[in-house]
Structure formats: structure tokens, C-alpha cells
Amino acid sequence: MKTTIELSDALIEQARRVAHREGATLRALVEEGLQRSLKARRQAAGRQLDFPSYGGGGLTDELQGAPWSRIRDEIYRERGA
């Protein structure tokens, strides 16, 4: 598929030099960059944070999978917030 994108002159020139030095095409370099970027985003989206707990077994069943806003509200509920 053909598409048009606008990139800075400096970035394109740098990419052309790298592609030439490596014996690749600019298209191959751009495709590789997009593939890496998309893969990193997929991996980041699938990453689960491991919150340590102290003196307990982690979140209660009621709060498992709850959004952070609900957990935050529960933390501060008894403080009058």
C-alpha cells in the first residue's frame, strides 16, 4: 500500500544514511521501525504491574481487577476524603 507521510528533513536524511550504510532500503528501515514501535506498544499494554503488599495477601477479592480510581477512593474513604 502506498501512503504519504511528512517527516523532518533531518530525520529522513539520517534514515537514508543508515539504510545506505546497511545496504537496506528506506522503506525497509521505516517498516522495521514501525513494527518495533507497534510491538513495544502491544507489550506495554499487556504488562501487569506487580504491586507489593505488606502484612496481607494483596487486594481483597472485592477490589481485584477494580480500576485505580475505585482503589484510591477506598484507601482514602476512612480519612474523610
Side-chain angles (χ1 to χ4, degrees):
M1 169 188 262
K2 273 192 165 187
T3 192
T4 302
I5 57 173
E6 288 186 36
L7 302 171
S8 71
D9 292 341
L11 180 61
I12 284 294
E13 196 51 45
Q14 184 180 2
R16 284 185 175 140
R17 284 194 303 269
V18 169
H20 178 73
R21 183 177 64 237
E22 295 180 359
T25 63
L26 183 58
R27 174 185 174 163
L29 196 65
V30 169
E31 284 182 353
E32 179 186 347
L34 283 172
Q35 288 170 350
R36 287 180 182 213
S37 178
L38 293 171
K39 180 180 178 182
R41 282 174 166 75
R42 280 192 307 272
Q43 289 173 341
R47 213 173 281 141
Q48 294 280 333
L49 297 178
D50 183 22
F51 291 104
S53 62
Y54 301 94
L59 292 174
T60 62
D61 290 340
E62 175 186 349
L63 294 176
Q64 287 290 333
W68 168 246
S69 59
R70 175 145 183 257
I71 296 170
R72 182 196 58 226
D73 291 347
E74 186 64 25
I75 291 169
Y76 291 107
R77 182 174 52 89
E78 292 185 16
R79 296 183 183 181

